[in-house]
Amino acid sequence: MNAIKRVFAAALVLVLLAGCQEIQGPVWSLDGQWVAYTVYARQAGGGFHPSVYVTNPDADDPTPRLLAYGAAFPQWTSDGTLLFYLAERDPQGYFTKIMRFHPGDEKPEVALAGVRLTSMQLAAGNNGPLMLLSMGRDSKPGSLVSAELWSALDNKRTNLRTLGEMYGPAISANGKMLVYGTKPVEGHAILMAAELNGGEAKAVFPTATNTEPNASSFVVTPFPSSERFLFYGPGMANVWTMTGKPGAAKFARYPIPDGLTCPVMARVAEDSNSAMLTLMRATPGRLTYESYRLDFAQNRWTRLDGNADEPIGGNALDPAAKKRQALRSAWLSSGGLAVGDAAKPHWFPVTADQCIAASTLLLKSNEPEKALEVVLKAQDAKPPPENSEALNQALFAAYMANKKFDRATDIFEQGWLLEPVGRAGVRFIFPPESGLPPPAPEWVAQQLKSMDELIAAAPENRMIPLLKAALLARQKGAQREALEAYRKAMDYCPDRARVGGVRFLQGVCNLELDDLVHAAEMFEQAARIDDFPQADFAAGMSAMAYYLDARPDSITKAAAALQLPAARKSAIVTELAQIPAMLKGKSSKDHGATPEAIGANGDAHAWAEYDTYWIPVVFSKPVWMEVGDGKFANRRVGVKCMTATSIYTNKQPTPIFRLARPVTAPKLSPSGSALAFTVSGEIFPVPDNFCELMVLDLTGGVVNGNAQAAAAGRTKSRQILTQFSWSGNSEISLTGVDVDVFGGQKAFEKTVPVGRGGVRKTAAP
């Protein structure tokens, strides 16, 4: 477990530090005519690949112009005539050139070559633009850097190595002061400040009254028109401002809202009264970006946008806005560069994922034709979209909004029959009596809504009503009805590829019934159809179902499934070949029970019974999963452990409570009138563990705990509970650890009241 925790924590820290060093918002030329910005394209191995673009949002053709791949840190000179940026990133991740560009030029020119830089910041010098150049010990995000100053006009370079290595340095807008973090001493990061006229560097933070005990480093951002600085860093609970010279600096603290990490992007507004900050929210299995405005005077955070998978924010006011008598800003959005008013901006998408997001935003703005035009560009974009499901959903919505119902029908069928495996994996809908997790209700609702729209718009279509009938049947646990609906759908398949998709859905349906052999046979039939786009996934599902059946003839058939052409020619052939080793020692279903708890007077008994399943899964993109012997890796093919638990007492023959998660053995209260246990759940970024306390009365009434989350298998928490015991009939003593978003753990012991002043008693699901 510790190794897994380290992997997740390291990945999160890497993302955060990458943002601290590299992620920046758009920048305007002084006349408000041009916007330069960086597009951060997510890389398959993690992190982002930056590219610099420039656009004139008021031009007849405002299509953004790509200046350079592998480039970042675009910055205009104070007179707004020249744009500088770092470019030509080498294989180690260093930027090897500083480029100079004038919007009227045909192409950029080299301003400085022969460098190996990790960041750059522009300030005003006595002789024109002054650059603070950072050179990392290595190019990994968050590394210590050495710094130098470069005067672009006279090409003069001033080495600052006498100040030592630094974290996140920044130069004041007037070029006279440098503020930076130093390597932690005895576990505490130190903020330093130096006047660049020859003054000695001094430690300015922490002070006797201002401190950040968990700070591992600092990242500094200058205010636009004064010797004032904003700073923050990993492990910090606050954003700070520093005002004044070294030795007389004053500090103000701004607590970061709960549930958010330290900023990954910061920009102080031109009037210095507020700052635009982008932070990350860690939820189980996902990190999302949210942008905020921080009002310094009122110490108030206002959310601007959120729930984005890519960097957003960095709002910058058009410097010519007052002259135009129309305020407008530029910022990074999920739909690409956004320019205008927050209520109705113009979007400039350049990547496939940005086109998908922009199309959705345009539909919300009631611009269906533009929405369709933009999303069609995503189909041909390179690299392709990260999420084919999101592309299909956006195409469907755009075609429907433009009343192109035939195309909308094709797209919807494609999602169900040609691409049943998406980034979320196989969509299982287990019978309610199985006790296994139900599908996400929002996904089911969206599918039914789309089906109803298509049935009304294209009444001649015969496939969609059958797909809907099968979905509704699976929801109520009538998988046999669903199989019959899929059998009828065969008659309306216009090609062999869709036949493969129907066979795949029949395989899924049989797995939901725990009918491994018939599931394997359906998947195998799908895998034998060369035209079926996901035949290789079907071969993997067939092999896993056969192996889990475990009978000798099934083992033989499993091996044969892995030798099908679809498997041998697949890009995931290596993962498919690892299936036998991954499933060694696993069975499709195991039944067990916890020890029985007996009340003090022997009258009350309580215990839990559970069924543990290994379910074959496939994903269009790699996910973190167990691959055997307690080891985890990013894979697209594997099995997932699912547990259905029932709580029993001797008071009735049927379960008093059911949930789709493992639990600890129940413990009865001293009076024997209530029982308690802990439930396993998600504790991102560490692996699942027992994390929530549940308390029931002997009829199954919920005294404490989230009954709905437990029944749906969606329990999640920020703590691990290691021990618990009744300390009275209405109190429970808990021992465990709190887990932060970096995976760090802090032990606790506490006594909590149960059944009073807390969660209201509710009926069991």
Side-chain angles (χ1 to χ4, degrees):
M1 172 179 168
N2 289 334
I4 301 168
K5 182 186 77 174
R6 285 195 298 271
V7 170
F8 272 109
L12 180 56
V13 170
L14 182 65
V15 169
L16 292 174
L17 292 179
C20 292
Q21 253 195 336
E22 190 170 287
I23 299 178
Q24 295 187 331
V27 289
W28 289 91
S29 61
L30 184 62
D31 59 7
Q33 186 174 357
W34 296 92
V35 180
Y37 64 104
T38 307
V39 169
Y40 300 94
R42 193 180 297 276
Q43 298 184 113
F48 298 100
H49 182 74
S51 302
V52 170
Y53 287 78
V54 65
T55 185
N56 178 351
D58 299 318
D60 292 336
D61 180 9
T63 302
R65 174 183 174 183
L66 172 66
L67 292 184
Y69 289 114
F73 300 97
Q75 296 177 59
W76 295 96
T77 55
S78 58
D79 61 6
T81 59
L82 285 176
L83 179 74
F84 287 87
Y85 60 92
L86 297 185
E88 295 201 22
R89 211 173 194 183
D90 67 15
Q92 288 74 43
Y94 292 101
F95 297 99
T96 61
K97 292 180 180 178
I98 298 177
M99 304 299 293
R100 177 172 50 225
F101 175 71
H102 185 280
D105 294 344
E106 181 179 347
K107 62 180 181 179
E109 61 182 10
V110 177
L112 185 64
V115 294
R116 299 181 79 225
L117 304 177
T118 53
S119 66
M120 175 182 76
Q121 183 207 329
L122 186 148
N126 294 329
N127 296 312
L130 183 67
M131 310 284 186
L132 174 66
L133 309 181
S134 297
M135 297 146 284
R137 179 184 299 180
D138 57 49
S139 64
K140 293 180 181 178
S143 297
L144 285 162
V145 300
S146 57
E148 70 174 42
L149 298 175
W150 174 58
S151 176
L153 190 63
D154 55 16
N155 198 28
K156 180 182 178 181
R157 299 172 71 172
T158 304
N159 198 306
L160 299 177
R161 288 180 181 172
T162 56
L163 298 176
E165 291 185 303
M166 311 169 180
Y167 284 113
I171 190 171
S172 60
N174 60 11
K176 295 181 179 181
M177 187 185 298
L178 185 72
V179 177
Y180 56 95
T182 62
K183 189 174 183 178
V185 177
E186 298 179 354
H188 297 286
I190 296 174
L191 191 72
M192 305 290 292
E195 294 185 78
L196 294 175
N197 59 2
E200 181 182 353
K202 296 181 180 179
V204 295
F205 186 91
T207 68
T209 56
N210 299 296
T211 184
E212 283 281 359
N214 297 318
S216 59
S217 62
F218 294 112
V219 178
V220 187
T221 297
F223 275 62
S225 58
S226 63
E227 294 177 1
R228 187 179 174 193
F229 296 86
L230 181 83
F231 65 96
Y232 50 87
M236 292 171 61
N238 308 280
V239 170
W240 296 79
T241 57
M242 167 189 160
T243 305
K245 304 283 187 181
K250 296 181 180 180
F251 298 91
R253 178 174 64 93
Y254 305 92
I256 295 171
D258 290 342
L260 296 170
T261 67
C262 73
V264 296
M265 188 195 315
R267 180 197 299 279
V268 179
E270 288 300 317
D271 61 8
S272 296
N273 293 327
S274 63
M276 306 297 176
L277 299 125
T278 298
L279 303 95
M280 297 185 76
R281 185 177 297 278
T283 56
R286 189 181 179 210
L287 291 168
T288 56
Y289 293 88
E290 298 181 4
S291 64
Y292 288 81
R293 175 185 287 108
L294 169 59
D295 185 302
F296 294 128
Q298 300 185 37
N299 202 335
R300 183 177 65 193
W301 297 75
T302 302
R303 177 169 152 163
L304 305 175
D305 196 3
N307 199 36
D309 292 323
E310 310 295 341
I312 58 174
N315 301 53
L317 183 66
D318 176 357
K322 291 182 179 178
K323 183 186 297 184
R324 300 173 189 273
Q325 296 183 340
L327 294 180
R328 68 173 179 176
S329 296
W331 66 95
L332 301 181
S333 76
S334 57
L337 175 72
V339 178
D341 180 80
K344 195 176 177 65
H346 295 284
W347 293 279
F348 300 88
V350 295
T351 69
D353 292 326
Q354 288 177 357
C355 288
I356 293 171
S359 178
T360 302
L361 293 168
L362 285 163
L363 285 180
K364 291 180 179 178
S365 299
N366 196 29
E367 299 180 78
E369 292 181 1
K370 287 184 179 180
L372 180 58
E373 178 185 348
V374 167
V375 75
L376 287 174
K377 293 179 180 179
Q379 289 184 302
D380 301 321
K382 301 295 181 185
E386 277 281 313
N387 188 347
S388 61
E389 287 179 286
L391 173 59
N392 285 339
Q393 185 175 340
L395 283 166
F396 173 81
Y399 279 127
M400 289 295 291
N402 284 276
K403 302 187 184 307
K404 297 181 181 294
F405 302 127
D406 289 344
R407 292 296 298 126
T409 301
D410 288 342
I411 290 297
F412 190 82
E413 289 185 6
Q414 178 177 326
W416 271 87
L417 302 178
L418 301 184
E419 298 173 357
V421 180
R423 193 163 66 169
V426 178
R427 299 283 189 173
F428 289 108
I429 307 176
F430 298 105
E433 63 270 18
S434 72
L436 292 173
E442 58 272 15
W443 176 80
V444 174
Q446 178 61 49
Q447 298 305 306
L448 290 173
K449 178 177 180 291
S450 298
M451 289 172 175
D452 287 338
E453 290 175 353
L454 285 174
I455 290 170
E460 71 284 356
N461 181 280
R462 295 292 179 264
M463 178 68 76
I464 304 301
L466 290 170
L467 293 178
K468 178 184 176 182
L471 176 58
L472 291 172
R474 290 166 65 191
Q475 260 197 298
K476 66 181 182 181
Q479 265 67 13
R480 300 295 178 191
E481 289 183 25
L483 286 169
E484 177 60 20
Y486 288 139
R487 187 194 65 76
K488 292 179 180 178
M490 290 286 187
D491 296 334
Y492 301 103
C493 288
D495 49 48
R496 292 282 294 163
R498 283 173 169 77
V499 171
V502 174
R503 290 296 188 205
F504 192 97
L505 292 174
Q506 288 178 314
V508 173
C509 219
N510 278 298
L511 274 183
E512 292 166 358
L513 289 171
D514 198 27
D515 186 347
L516 292 170
V517 172
H518 283 102
E521 290 173 351
M522 292 298 101
F523 288 127
E524 183 180 348
Q525 289 185 39
R528 291 182 180 277
I529 298 175
D530 293 337
D531 294 340
F532 178 47
Q534 296 187 328
D536 52 351
F537 285 137
M541 292 291 286
S542 177
M544 288 187 287
Y546 276 132
Y547 274 122
L548 289 170
D549 183 61
R551 286 177 288 190
D553 61 330
S554 292
I555 300 298
T556 301
K557 291 178 180 178
L562 294 177
Q563 294 303 311
L564 292 172
R568 289 189 288 107
K569 297 177 182 178
S570 172
I572 57 170
V573 62
T574 302
E575 291 188 34
L576 294 173
Q578 294 169 348
I579 286 175
M582 183 172 52
L583 295 186
K584 185 178 180 180
K586 292 182 172 64
S587 58
S588 85
K589 181 179 179 180
D590 289 317
H591 183 78
T594 65
E596 189 172 344
I598 303 176
N601 60 8
D603 181 51
H605 295 225
W607 69 97
E609 295 187 12
Y610 52 86
D611 292 307
T612 301
Y613 298 82
W614 285 102
I615 307 293
V617 291
V618 287
F619 299 86
S620 62
K621 299 289 181 181
V623 299
W624 190 252
M625 67 172 74
E626 185 178 351
V627 294
D629 299 326
K631 298 178 181 179
F632 286 72
N634 279 314
R635 294 286 176 82
R636 284 174 286 185
V637 179
V639 287
K640 182 176 182 179
C641 185
M642 295 185 182
T643 301
T645 301
S646 298
I647 307 298
Y648 285 88
T649 70
N650 62 335
K651 303 301 182 181
Q652 64 182 53
T654 56
I656 64 167
F657 191 87
R658 302 184 75 188
L659 61 162
R661 278 286 186 175
V663 303
T664 56
K667 295 181 181 180
L668 287 163
S669 63
S671 66
S673 60
L675 59 94
F677 53 89
T678 57
V679 184
S680 174
E682 296 174 315
I683 319 166
F684 185 80
V686 301
D688 292 4
N689 209 317
F690 293 102
C691 65
E692 180 165 1
L693 176 71
M694 295 285 297
V695 181
L696 312 177
D697 64 27
L698 297 192
T699 66
V702 179
V703 180
N704 275 69
N706 189 326
Q708 287 71 31
R714 297 190 180 92
T715 301
K716 57 184 178 181
S717 178
R718 292 244 58 90
Q719 63 181 11
I720 297 173
L721 301 179
T722 54
Q723 290 184 335
F724 72 96
S725 60
W726 289 91
S727 53
N729 284 315
S730 57
E731 287 186 340
I732 291 180
S733 298
L734 293 173
T735 301
V737 292
D738 290 316
V739 181
D740 63 29
V741 295
F742 295 95
Q745 300 181 8
K746 183 178 181 181
F748 69 79
E749 293 183 7
K750 60 185 178 182
T751 299
V752 297
V754 295
R756 66 170 190 264
V759 177
R760 181 168 54 88
K761 178 177 174 179
T762 60

